[in-house]
Amino acid sequence: MSQSTDHFDVIVLGAGVVGITAAYWNLRNGKSVCVVDRQPAAGLETSFANGGQVSVSHAEPWANPSAPFKVLKWLLRGDAPLLFRPRLDPHQWLWIAKFLVDCLPRRAGRHTAEIVKLATESRGLIQKIRADEAFHYDERSKGILHFYRNKHEFEAAIPVAELMRKYGCDRTVIDTDKVVEIEPALAEKRAEIVGATYTAGDESGDALKFTQALAQVCEKLGGVFLYSHQATALGADKAAGEVRSVEVCGPNGYRTLRARDVVVSLGCWSAPFLRPYGVRLSIYPAKGYSVTIPTDGSNVAPVTSLTDDEYKLVYSNLGGRLRVAGTAELSGYTRELNETRCQAILRNVKNLFPRAGNFERTTFWTGLRPTTPSNIPYVGRTRYRNLWLDTGHGTLGWTLGAGSGFRLANMIGAGEGPLVA
Ligand SMILES: Cc1cc2nc3c(=O)[nH]c(=O)nc-3n(C[C@H](O)[C@H](O)[C@H](O)COP(=O)(O)OP(=O)(O)OC[C@H]3O[C@@H](n4cnc5c(N)ncnc54)[C@H](O)[C@@H]3O)c2cc1C
């Protein structure tokens, strides 16, 4: 293990849920670790206010055979769950071309299987971290209920659930009696619901609280955190195929860090950060929204984590707060809040659960999902032997991060892993 403060076994770039879990597993493997983030604390960007679901049951990627038709249908609607705003950006067009290829049935099936496997491992590791490190993050282990108001969509979900069961995800098809038994808050809407699936093993919780609590554990394990530091460059030696240093810039100016291994977990910014070094990643931001409503003691707010298929919204009760998240906007790197989309989400919540909480005190948020066309993250080595990737977790970073970080830490420990970019 290295001793000098500027020389580490592993530098992790990015302190979102993905970077922090990668740092944790490397520390647990006995490495000295330094984490760099431009924000003043962990989890302040895309991991800040997400939907809260730890959902193996959401393993089916957006790129699936029904996606092109749905996207065309939504193209001109300002409040559509998925919105594409064309830009003069070749990266956006290339990403969309790859997305369309990944919609082919065989590819989508293979990706679903891969995501189920990683998500199941990851969910188990989140539970292990919770037990080993004894912290809480408004977690709930009441499963995820995915309900449908459209018969056609429900029927299409049945074979997907079957495929997931084949790969080990306990997503079962249930009737409306069972829906109301699992989530009494849906009783008033019972007549609208045509069917549902339920995954008892899935969970929910506040990803920000988890990330920040785990960052504290990492500090106790000896991890060094350079917050408010921007990673500006890599000292990359193309000929030797290795990264010799990382340049960072903080309140006291520039600093050069050295490490045996470097992990990139910069979310959406991984792709532009690595482009100058010839590492090309198909990661494009998919902007999503969340609203958080204080339940203020309401006893009719849902307590089970829910997915409303029609509006592509997820609901998680985070102890005193109802978090509702969804929508995807391919519009570049802007996090601007679009009022129409905020109000569309709020309208849906009020319609479904009119007495769920104090709507006057709703807070709105947007975040940029670091999305790959297949929704499979990059976990492995680059053309530089000591430059590793744990990034591109898209819609499922909270679900998949613990598992991908665990896999990556073991690759770093073994000194070998698959070449992924
Ligand atoms: C609306 C919405 C709902 C979601 N719901 C769910 C859900 O229910 N379940 C689920 O599993 N996932 C969900 N997700 C996805 C999940 O939130 C993301 O996949 C996850 O947060 C990505 O984590 P990350 O660590 O890769 O990225 P981030 O959290 O964005 O972390 C990247 C970090 O890198 C830092 N950084 C970037 N560039 C630099 C630089 N040059 N120098 C220094 N630091 C830098 C940033 O400050 C940031 O802290 C949702 C996402 C959204 C937007």
Side-chain angles (χ1 to χ4, degrees), residues 272-293:
F273 181 77
L274 289 175
R275 214 168 281 141
Y277 311 102
V279 178
R280 307 218 173 271
L281 306 181
S282 276
I283 296 178
Y284 200 78
K287 180 161 81 167
Y289 286 71
S290 76
V291 305
T292 306
I293 303 141

Side-chain angles (χ1 to χ4, degrees), residues 62-76:
W62 281 345
N64 64 60
S66 66
F69 169 73
K70 282 187 194 160
V71 174
L72 274 181
K73 194 175 76 177
W74 289 329
L75 212 50
L76 298 173

